[in-house]
Amino acid sequence: MELYLDSANLKEIEEGFKLGFLNGLTTTPTFMQKEGITDIDGTIVKLSKMVPVLQIEALGNSAEEVLAEAERQLALGLDPKKTVFKIPVSLEGVRACKLLRDKGYLVNVHLVYTLQQAYMAMHAGATYVCPLVGRLQDQGHDALALVEQCVNAVDLYDYDTKIMFSSVRHAEHVRNAINVGVHTITVPLKVMKQLTENNFTTLGTDQFIMDTRLMMVKVKEAIKGINPLVTENTSVTDAIIKMTEFGYGAVTVTKADGSIKGVFTDGSLRKLIGEKGRDILSKNLSDLEYREPITIDANVLLNDASVMFKKTNVDTIVVTDGGKPVGMLDIQDMKG
């Protein structure tokens, strides 16, 4: 199934065709008008150089006028092998289709709402026949049944025509198109971006990235270079200020000889205030009791840190190098 982008927005078109595998671009005068485009010919020429195949409107009140408009556009420098002329279905439209096809030009008969219209376009030799699914559904019609009937007609009568599924409103339409077996679909960029999205895929990918990180990254590479140290003679208030300065929820408390006494966290503060009240703010850190500090060597892998976090059930571990504190590792650092 060919995949076209449906747009006239230059930024969208540039972004979409970076994918490298889109078959072409469909656009309309309405799209161009909404984008504020006034130089239609200049825009068409520019787009023709950006995309593999360009489908553009060829309008006229008679078949001869449509043919003249198509040839006028080709004279701008368009490649007839890479340009598809879109013609609204009508009696003159299908006659124009035959005139253009006899000259070897590519034609998309569009604005198709019935099987009869599609049949006339197929029989006139249309390269593409384009039912508008979203618009038909807006009117309460069974658009998918129409598309399926068009596909069946191509197969049954061996027409050299591709059915293009258009007026795509959501990702479900793309699934519908695949199930029906259309030959081509044209999709807005916002819908195209949704086609590879799935919450379970995101969760699985994140898990793979996390597990790879655990096996490849060392602790010293994961810490933020933040090493908030205070001595045990520091007041609780100054320790809070230190945490605020570093934007971190903990400080490492050291003894006079530089060895680690423990870790003071914002969680510790809340607990102490709850137990002893505001008076705790006038105390020094030396007045507090600490459990044995949990440390990890800076040169081990994050996988070891992960095991330690699970084993100790703490949120923060002091990172040491040669016995000296060089930073702190928390749960968020594990994720990168």
Side-chain angles (χ1 to χ4, degrees):
M1 184 172 72
E2 293 177 346
L3 178 60
Y4 273 70
L5 177 65
D6 199 22
S7 180
N9 182 290
L10 291 178
K11 288 184 178 179
E12 283 188 355
I13 293 166
E14 288 175 354
E15 182 179 353
F17 281 88
K18 282 181 181 178
L19 290 172
F21 56 77
L22 300 186
N23 296 96
L25 174 73
T26 55
T27 190
T28 68
T30 300
F31 284 172
M32 291 185 185
Q33 189 276 330
K34 286 181 178 178
E35 293 296 330
I37 292 169
T38 53
D39 181 7
I40 297 177
D41 285 351
T43 300
I44 287 171
V45 171
K46 184 173 184 177
L47 292 178
S48 72
K49 296 175 181 178
M50 295 172 63
V51 302
V53 176
L54 177 63
Q55 300 209 12
I56 54 174
E57 209 75 30
L59 297 172
N61 293 319
S62 67
E64 288 76 17
E65 288 181 5
V66 172
L67 174 60
E69 173 61 10
E71 293 187 324
R72 185 193 71 79
Q73 290 175 323
L74 286 174
L76 298 173
L78 304 183
D79 185 342
K81 294 181 180 179
K82 298 179 180 179
T83 305
V84 180
F85 296 103
K86 297 168 63 183
I87 303 173
V89 65
S90 68
L91 205 57
E92 284 299 298
V94 293
R95 192 165 75 87
C97 173
K98 182 64 167 68
L99 291 178
L100 268 67
R101 293 297 290 137
D102 285 347
K103 285 182 169 283
Y105 302 151
L106 305 174
V107 176
N108 181 344
V109 176
H110 71 131
L111 296 178
V112 169
Y113 290 96
T114 70
L115 182 59
Q116 301 92 301
Q117 290 177 320
Y119 162 68
M120 291 292 280
M122 293 174 196
H123 209 61
T127 317
Y128 295 90
V129 167
C130 191
L132 280 73
V133 175
R135 290 191 189 181
L136 262 174
Q137 289 179 335
D138 290 344
Q139 299 165 20
H141 297 288
D142 189 349
L144 297 182
L146 170 61
V147 175
E148 187 171 10
Q149 290 162 9
C150 291
V151 171
N152 289 340
V154 168
D155 293 340
L156 181 63
Y157 297 107
D158 199 26
Y159 284 121
D160 189 18
T161 298
K162 297 176 181 178
I163 304 304
M164 173 179 277
F165 191 113
S166 71
S167 190
V168 169
R169 303 286 174 78
H170 43 70
E172 180 70 7
H173 272 158
V174 180
R175 189 178 72 83
N176 295 149
I178 295 168
N179 283 337
V180 169
V182 297
H183 311 96
T184 310
I185 188 169
T186 182
V187 183
L189 185 62
K190 67 178 182 180
V191 175
M192 200 175 289
K193 287 180 175 180
Q194 298 168 10
L195 298 181
T196 57
E197 293 177 359
N198 182 278
N199 183 54
F200 291 119
T201 302
T202 301
L203 290 174
T205 302
D206 290 346
Q207 186 65 54
F208 290 159
I209 291 171
M210 175 65 178
D211 291 339
T212 301
R213 177 177 168 81
L214 292 177
M215 293 183 289
M216 295 187 67
V217 177
K218 292 183 178 180
V219 168
K220 64 183 179 183
E221 296 166 349
I223 58 178
K224 301 182 179 72
I226 296 172
N227 189 24
L229 294 175
V230 294
T231 66
E232 60 183 336
N233 294 322
T234 304
S235 70
V236 171
T237 301
D238 286 341
I240 295 169
I241 292 171
K242 193 78 168 180
M243 279 192 269
T244 304
E245 286 176 354
F246 278 84
Y248 214 74
V251 290
T252 302
V253 184
T254 60
K255 299 176 184 178
D257 62 1
S259 61
I260 302 169
K261 181 175 182 178
V263 177
F264 182 67
T265 69
D266 51 8
S268 306
L269 176 64
R270 288 193 297 272
K271 183 179 179 183
L272 287 168
I273 291 175
E275 292 174 352
K276 301 182 179 182
R278 295 170 59 90
D279 290 345
I280 192 66
L281 298 175
S282 63
K283 302 285 186 179
N284 285 344
L285 295 176
S286 58
D287 299 325
L288 307 180
E289 292 182 2
Y290 299 90
R291 65 182 178 182
E292 188 71 21
I294 297 170
T295 64
I296 191 166
D297 189 272
N299 296 296
V300 303
L301 292 171
L302 284 178
N303 201 57
D304 297 316
S306 177
V307 172
M308 188 173 289
F309 274 120
K310 291 174 183 176
K311 207 178 271 189
T312 59
N313 198 31
V314 296
D315 294 327
T316 307
I317 298 175
V318 178
V319 180
T320 62
D321 193 354
K324 295 182 179 180
V326 293
M328 303 187 78
L329 184 74
D330 65 23
I331 294 291
Q332 292 306 311
D333 294 330
M334 303 290 288
K335 299 175 182 177

PDB file of all heavy atoms in Angstrom, residues 90-102:
ATOM      1  N   SER A  90     -16.859  13.983 -12.504  1.00  0.00           N
ATOM      2  CA  SER A  90     -18.039  14.516 -13.202  1.00  0.00           C
ATOM      3  C   SER A  90     -17.982  13.935 -14.598  1.00  0.00           C
ATOM      4  O   SER A  90     -17.003  13.265 -14.965  1.00  0.00           O
ATOM      5  CB  SER A  90     -18.013  16.052 -13.274  1.00  0.00           C
ATOM      6  OG  SER A  90     -16.954  16.489 -14.120  1.00  0.00           O
ATOM      7  N   LEU A  91     -19.013  14.188 -15.405  1.00  0.00           N
ATOM      8  CA  LEU A  91     -18.973  13.656 -16.766  1.00  0.00           C
ATOM      9  C   LEU A  91     -17.818  14.277 -17.548  1.00  0.00           C
ATOM     10  O   LEU A  91     -17.081  13.577 -18.260  1.00  0.00           O
ATOM     11  CB  LEU A  91     -20.308  13.908 -17.475  1.00  0.00           C
ATOM     12  CG  LEU A  91     -20.630  12.946 -18.620  1.00  0.00           C
ATOM     13  CD1 LEU A  91     -20.634  11.495 -18.143  1.00  0.00           C
ATOM     14  CD2 LEU A  91     -21.983  13.294 -19.244  1.00  0.00           C
ATOM     15  N   GLU A  92     -17.638  15.601 -17.410  1.00  0.00           N
ATOM     16  CA  GLU A  92     -16.501  16.265 -18.056  1.00  0.00           C
ATOM     17  C   GLU A  92     -15.188  15.822 -17.405  1.00  0.00           C
ATOM     18  O   GLU A  92     -14.152  15.718 -18.059  1.00  0.00           O
ATOM     19  CB  GLU A  92     -16.644  17.789 -17.994  1.00  0.00           C
ATOM     20  CG  GLU A  92     -17.648  18.352 -18.980  1.00  0.00           C
ATOM     21  CD  GLU A  92     -17.269  18.060 -20.428  1.00  0.00           C
ATOM     22  OE1 GLU A  92     -16.201  18.522 -20.879  1.00  0.00           O
ATOM     23  OE2 GLU A  92     -18.036  17.339 -21.111  1.00  0.00           O
ATOM     24  N   GLY A  93     -15.238  15.563 -16.088  1.00  0.00           N
ATOM     25  CA  GLY A  93     -14.039  15.130 -15.372  1.00  0.00           C
ATOM     26  C   GLY A  93     -13.507  13.802 -15.870  1.00  0.00           C
ATOM     27  O   GLY A  93     -12.298  13.641 -16.083  1.00  0.00           O
ATOM     28  N   VAL A  94     -14.425  12.836 -16.099  1.00  0.00           N
ATOM     29  CA  VAL A  94     -13.955  11.521 -16.572  1.00  0.00           C
ATOM     30  C   VAL A  94     -13.563  11.596 -18.049  1.00  0.00           C
ATOM     31  O   VAL A  94     -12.684  10.847 -18.496  1.00  0.00           O
ATOM     32  CB  VAL A  94     -15.003  10.411 -16.318  1.00  0.00           C
ATOM     33  CG1 VAL A  94     -15.159  10.172 -14.829  1.00  0.00           C
ATOM     34  CG2 VAL A  94     -16.343  10.728 -16.965  1.00  0.00           C
ATOM     35  N   ARG A  95     -14.187  12.514 -18.786  1.00  0.00           N
ATOM     36  CA  ARG A  95     -13.754  12.708 -20.170  1.00  0.00           C
ATOM     37  C   ARG A  95     -12.348  13.312 -20.196  1.00  0.00           C
ATOM     38  O   ARG A  95     -11.502  12.922 -21.002  1.00  0.00           O
ATOM     39  CB  ARG A  95     -14.743  13.612 -20.918  1.00  0.00           C
ATOM     40  CG  ARG A  95     -14.522  13.639 -22.434  1.00  0.00           C
ATOM     41  CD  ARG A  95     -15.705  14.218 -23.170  1.00  0.00           C
ATOM     42  NE  ARG A  95     -15.790  15.666 -23.044  1.00  0.00           N
ATOM     43  CZ  ARG A  95     -15.170  16.527 -23.857  1.00  0.00           C
ATOM     44  NH1 ARG A  95     -14.410  16.067 -24.840  1.00  0.00           N
ATOM     45  NH2 ARG A  95     -15.323  17.811 -23.688  1.00  0.00           N
ATOM     46  N   ALA A  96     -12.111  14.253 -19.273  1.00  0.00           N
ATOM     47  CA  ALA A  96     -10.776  14.844 -19.148  1.00  0.00           C
ATOM     48  C   ALA A  96      -9.767  13.779 -18.745  1.00  0.00           C
ATOM     49  O   ALA A  96      -8.629  13.760 -19.241  1.00  0.00           O
ATOM     50  CB  ALA A  96     -10.792  15.974 -18.127  1.00  0.00           C
ATOM     51  N   CYS A  97     -10.184  12.888 -17.863  1.00  0.00           N
ATOM     52  CA  CYS A  97      -9.315  11.790 -17.439  1.00  0.00           C
ATOM     53  C   CYS A  97      -8.856  10.989 -18.659  1.00  0.00           C
ATOM     54  O   CYS A  97      -7.658  10.682 -18.803  1.00  0.00           O
ATOM     55  CB  CYS A  97     -10.056  10.895 -16.454  1.00  0.00           C
ATOM     56  SG  CYS A  97      -9.176   9.389 -16.002  1.00  0.00           S
ATOM     57  N   LYS A  98      -9.774  10.661 -19.550  1.00  0.00           N
ATOM     58  CA  LYS A  98      -9.431   9.879 -20.740  1.00  0.00           C
ATOM     59  C   LYS A  98      -8.470  10.651 -21.648  1.00  0.00           C
ATOM     60  O   LYS A  98      -7.497  10.086 -22.168  1.00  0.00           O
ATOM     61  CB  LYS A  98     -10.703   9.533 -21.517  1.00  0.00           C
ATOM     62  CG  LYS A  98     -10.473   8.659 -22.758  1.00  0.00           C
ATOM     63  CD  LYS A  98      -9.913   7.281 -22.377  1.00  0.00           C
ATOM     64  CE  LYS A  98      -9.971   6.297 -23.554  1.00  0.00           C
ATOM     65  NZ  LYS A  98      -9.038   6.666 -24.637  1.00  0.00           N
ATOM     66  N   LEU A  99      -8.723  11.974 -21.816  1.00  0.00           N
ATOM     67  CA  LEU A  99      -7.841  12.784 -22.658  1.00  0.00           C
ATOM     68  C   LEU A  99      -6.419  12.811 -22.095  1.00  0.00           C
ATOM     69  O   LEU A  99      -5.439  12.668 -22.839  1.00  0.00           O
ATOM     70  CB  LEU A  99      -8.384  14.217 -22.758  1.00  0.00           C
ATOM     71  CG  LEU A  99      -9.676  14.420 -23.541  1.00  0.00           C
ATOM     72  CD1 LEU A  99     -10.096  15.882 -23.497  1.00  0.00           C
ATOM     73  CD2 LEU A  99      -9.510  13.974 -25.004  1.00  0.00           C
ATOM     74  N   LEU A 100      -6.305  12.985 -20.772  1.00  0.00           N
ATOM     75  CA  LEU A 100      -4.985  13.038 -20.139  1.00  0.00           C
ATOM     76  C   LEU A 100      -4.287  11.677 -20.190  1.00  0.00           C
ATOM     77  O   LEU A 100      -3.086  11.590 -20.457  1.00  0.00           O
ATOM     78  CB  LEU A 100      -5.098  13.519 -18.687  1.00  0.00           C
ATOM     79  CG  LEU A 100      -4.948  15.030 -18.456  1.00  0.00           C
ATOM     80  CD1 LEU A 100      -6.127  15.797 -19.076  1.00  0.00           C
ATOM     81  CD2 LEU A 100      -4.857  15.359 -16.966  1.00  0.00           C
ATOM     82  N   ARG A 101      -5.057  10.627 -19.969  1.00  0.00           N
ATOM     83  CA  ARG A 101      -4.456   9.288 -19.986  1.00  0.00           C
ATOM     84  C   ARG A 101      -3.977   8.914 -21.396  1.00  0.00           C
ATOM     85  O   ARG A 101      -2.956   8.245 -21.551  1.00  0.00           O
ATOM     86  CB  ARG A 101      -5.461   8.250 -19.472  1.00  0.00           C
ATOM     87  CG  ARG A 101      -5.804   8.388 -18.011  1.00  0.00           C
ATOM     88  CD  ARG A 101      -4.604   8.168 -17.088  1.00  0.00           C
ATOM     89  NE  ARG A 101      -4.193   6.770 -17.094  1.00  0.00           N
ATOM     90  CZ  ARG A 101      -2.920   6.361 -17.155  1.00  0.00           C
ATOM     91  NH1 ARG A 101      -1.932   7.232 -17.239  1.00  0.00           N
ATOM     92  NH2 ARG A 101      -2.639   5.065 -17.134  1.00  0.00           N
ATOM     93  N   ASP A 102      -4.721   9.364 -22.409  1.00  0.00           N
ATOM     94  CA  ASP A 102      -4.300   9.095 -23.789  1.00  0.00           C
ATOM     95  C   ASP A 102      -2.961   9.751 -24.105  1.00  0.00           C
ATOM     96  O   ASP A 102      -2.230   9.298 -24.995  1.00  0.00           O
ATOM     97  CB  ASP A 102      -5.356   9.597 -24.779  1.00  0.00           C
ATOM     98  CG  ASP A 102      -6.578   8.679 -24.823  1.00  0.00           C
ATOM     99  OD1 ASP A 102      -6.492   7.551 -24.285  1.00  0.00           O
ATOM    100  OD2 ASP A 102      -7.612   9.095 -25.392  1.00  0.00           O
TER     101      ASP A 102
END
